[in-house]
Amino acid sequence: MNATIIVPTFNEAPNVAEIVRRLNDAVGTGAAEILFVDDSSDDTPQAVAHAAQWSAIPVRVIHREEAIGGLSGAVVEGLQSAATDWCVVMDGDLQHPPEMVPVLLQSAQATGADVVVASRHVRGGSNQGLSDVRRRLVSNGSIALTRAMFPARLRNCTDPMTGFFAVRRSSVDIDALRPRGFKILLEILARHRMQVVEEPFIFAERHAGESKADLAQGIRFLRQLAALRFGRMSRFAAIGAIGAVANLAIMAALVALGIGYVIAATVAAAVTILGNFFLQEIFVFRDLRHEGRSFWHRFVASVGFNTIESMLRLPLLYLLVETTPVPSVIAQGVTILVAFVIRFVFMSRVVYRPRRTTPVSPLLARTIAPQSETTVPHATNGSV
Ligand code: GDD
Ligand code: MN
C-alpha cells in the first residue's frame, strides 16, 4: 500500500541517515515518500537533503520557521501536506522500529481499519526503551487516566500515548484537531469515532541525541485533556459532591433523632454508597451499561470498592497527619482528591469497562488462522 511516512524532528541530525536507511530496507519502494517535518536548530535539514540523494524512497523535508503546536503541530502539517490517503507517523530517533511500518500498513489493509496503533501494551509489545521507572509510572498513569476519560473512543486502544501509528487521512477531520504538545494520536482518537486496531511493538532505546520530553510537555498534556473533555469526569465529581452533602445531612438527621454518632455515620455511609451507585449508573456511565459487565457484577464491584475506600480513608488520613508535617485539613483535601481520581479510574476502567470490538494484532491472528476471515465489526458506541 502506498503511504507517506511522516517523521517529526527536532534536532535529530545524527538519526536521519539511519532512519532513512532502515526505512529503505524495511519498505523498499513500497512507500510514496518519507516526509520530515522539522523544527530543528541543528543541521537536520541538511542531513535530510543528504539522505534524499541516495534513498530509493523519495525524501522531503518541510522546515518550519515557527514550531507551532510542537510535535503535534508538525504531524498535522505532515498530514496536510501528504499526497497519499494513508500516512504512518513515527518518531525520528529510532525508538519506533522502521521494520514495523510494513506491519502497520498490512494490518490496515487486512482489517479495513481507520487507524492502526503500534502499541507497547498488548501482548508482544514492550516499553523497554522508556528510560526510568519514574517515566514508566507517569506513562502508565496517564494512559489509565486517559482511557478512563474516553472509555468508548479508546476501548480498542491500549496505548493512546504512542506516537507510532498509521492513519487513513480521509477519516480525520484535520481542521478539527487542536494540536499541542506530544500526544497527537490521543487528539485524533478523542475527536473522531474511528475503527482502531493494534499491533504490538517494542519501544526501543533512543539511537542518538536526547529526549525533548519535559515538565512543560506534561502540563501541555493536562491542558489537552481538559480541552478535550472533562464531561464524564465532571458528572462523576458532581455526583460525588451530592453524595458528600447527603452523607452529612443523613448523619445530622439521625444524630438529632438521638441515634449514636457511630451508627449514624455508618448508616449515612451505607445510604450514600448505594445512592451513589444508582446515580452513577444513570448519569455517568449510562452509555456503557450494556457494553461490559452485568448489573450485579457492577453493583458488587462498585459498592465493594466504595465501602473499602471509605473504611481506608480515615486510617490513611491519620497516617498522613502523624507521619508528615502536612496540616490535617490539607491532608484531608489530598486524600479526597487522590481517592476521587482513583475511584474514577476504577469505575471507568474496571466496573464499566467496555469490551474490545477489534482483535489485538489482527495480522498475527490471520497467520495463525488463515482460513478464518478476520472481520472487524464497526464500533457502535459513539458517545465518548
Ligand atoms: N517537528 C517537531 N517539533 N518535532 C519534535 C518536537 C517539536 O517541537 N519535539 C519533539 N519532536 C520530535 C523528536 O525529534 C522525535 O522525533 C519525536 O518528536 C519524539 O520526541 P522525543 O523527544 O524522542 O520524545 P520521547 O521519546 O520522550 O516521547 C516520545 O515517546 C512517547 C512514548 O512514551 C513521543 O514520541 C511520543 O509521541 C511517544 O508516544
Ligand atoms: Mn524519543
Side-chain angles (χ1 to χ4, degrees):
M1 181 157 54
N2 227 11
T4 303
I5 301 166
I6 299 171
V7 188
T9 46
F10 181 76
N11 296 350
E12 303 288 3
N15 293 319
V16 168
E18 182 67 5
I19 195 168
V20 173
R21 183 186 69 75
R22 278 175 62 184
L23 279 171
N24 270 277
D25 285 351
V27 287
T29 48
E33 185 176 49
I34 305 174
L35 175 55
F36 287 90
V37 187
D38 182 58
D39 294 321
S40 299
S41 48
D42 72 352
D43 51 2
T44 302
Q46 289 86 320
V48 176
H50 194 258
Q53 291 172 0
W54 53 258
S55 170
I57 309 171
V59 176
R60 177 159 67 106
V61 62
I62 299 176
H63 181 77
R64 307 196 302 167
E65 283 315 316
E66 227 184 318
I68 299 165
L71 165 52
S72 293
V75 171
V76 168
E77 197 142 341
L79 290 173
Q80 275 163 341
S81 166
T84 59
D85 195 24
W86 276 93
C87 293
V88 176
V89 177
M90 67 189 294
D91 287 355
D93 58 1
L94 291 153
Q95 290 195 279
H96 297 157
E99 296 68 32
M100 273 299 290
V101 170
V103 176
L104 298 181
L105 293 173
Q106 280 163 32
S107 190
Q109 209 154 30
T111 59
D114 302 304
V115 177
V116 183
V117 173
S119 171
R120 296 165 289 177
H121 299 291
V122 290
R123 188 199 285 271
S126 136
N127 213 353
Q128 69 184 40
L130 213 52
S131 35
D132 54 287
V133 179
R134 195 182 55 86
R135 272 212 64 180
R136 269 181 218 201
L137 224 86
V138 170
S139 175
N140 292 336
S142 34
I143 290 174
L145 180 64
T146 311
R147 294 195 73 193
M149 288 172 70
F150 308 95
R153 295 241 159 137
L154 297 181
R155 77 196 309 162
N156 296 318
C157 182
T158 58
D159 198 354
M161 304 293 138
T162 187
F164 195 13
F165 55 94
V167 60
R168 189 201 299 272
R169 231 157 38 107
S170 51
S171 305
V172 181
D173 178 3
I174 297 180
D175 295 332
L177 302 176
R178 296 284 168 269
R180 77 208 98 190
F182 271 28
K183 302 310 171 190
I184 183 62
L185 177 62
L186 172 64
E187 186 74 23
I188 291 173
L189 294 182
R191 290 195 192 275
H192 302 83
R193 194 203 305 189
M194 290 176 131
Q195 183 68 24
V196 181
V197 302
E198 296 190 301
E199 296 291 342
F201 90 105
I202 296 171
F203 190 66
E205 305 270 347
R206 217 171 209 286
H207 178 66
E210 54 192 49
S211 169
K212 284 88 197 174
D214 54 13
L215 191 64
Q217 289 302 339
I219 291 166
R220 274 191 205 111
F221 167 66
L222 291 179
R223 288 189 25 212
Q224 178 186 22
L225 281 186
L228 279 175
R229 182 195 200 107
F230 270 134
R232 193 182 294 269
M233 194 140 86
S234 43
R235 293 201 303 277
F236 187 78
I239 281 167
I242 292 170
V245 173
N247 189 320
L248 294 179
I250 294 167
M251 184 164 165
L254 293 178
V255 170
L257 287 174
I259 294 171
Y261 77 93
V262 174
I263 294 181
T266 312
V267 172
V271 172
T272 325
I273 288 172
L274 284 177
N276 199 280
F277 171 74
F278 289 105
L279 290 176
Q280 180 174 289
E281 285 268 302
I282 297 165
F283 294 111
V284 188
F285 295 110
R286 182 183 203 102
D287 56 326
L288 296 180
R289 282 185 308 184
H290 306 294
E291 302 281 342
R293 298 170 192 276
S294 69
F295 174 81
W296 286 111
H297 209 131
R298 301 196 300 273
F299 181 83
V300 170
S302 170
V303 168
F305 183 92
N306 284 339
T307 307
I308 293 170
E309 189 250 4
S310 65
M311 289 190 317
L312 282 183
R313 179 115 45 97
L314 206 61
L316 228 113
L317 178 67
Y318 178 78
L319 223 90
L320 206 63
V321 174
E322 295 303 318
T323 60
T324 67
V326 181
S328 59
V329 175
I330 295 189
Q332 173 73 321
V334 170
T335 52
I336 288 176
L337 199 72
V338 170
F340 168 77
V341 174
I342 294 177
R343 194 164 0 113
F344 178 66
V345 170
F346 180 82
M347 294 305 160
S348 188
R349 297 285 301 123
V350 179
V351 180
Y352 293 92
R353 177 189 198 128
R355 275 183 291 266
R356 275 192 87 97
T357 52
T358 62
V360 170
S361 187
L363 262 197
L364 198 67
R366 285 197 146 216
T367 39
I368 289 168
Q371 74 280 17
S372 73
E373 196 61 37
T374 321
T375 50
V376 183
H378 260 275
T380 50
N381 196 299
S383 56
V384 172

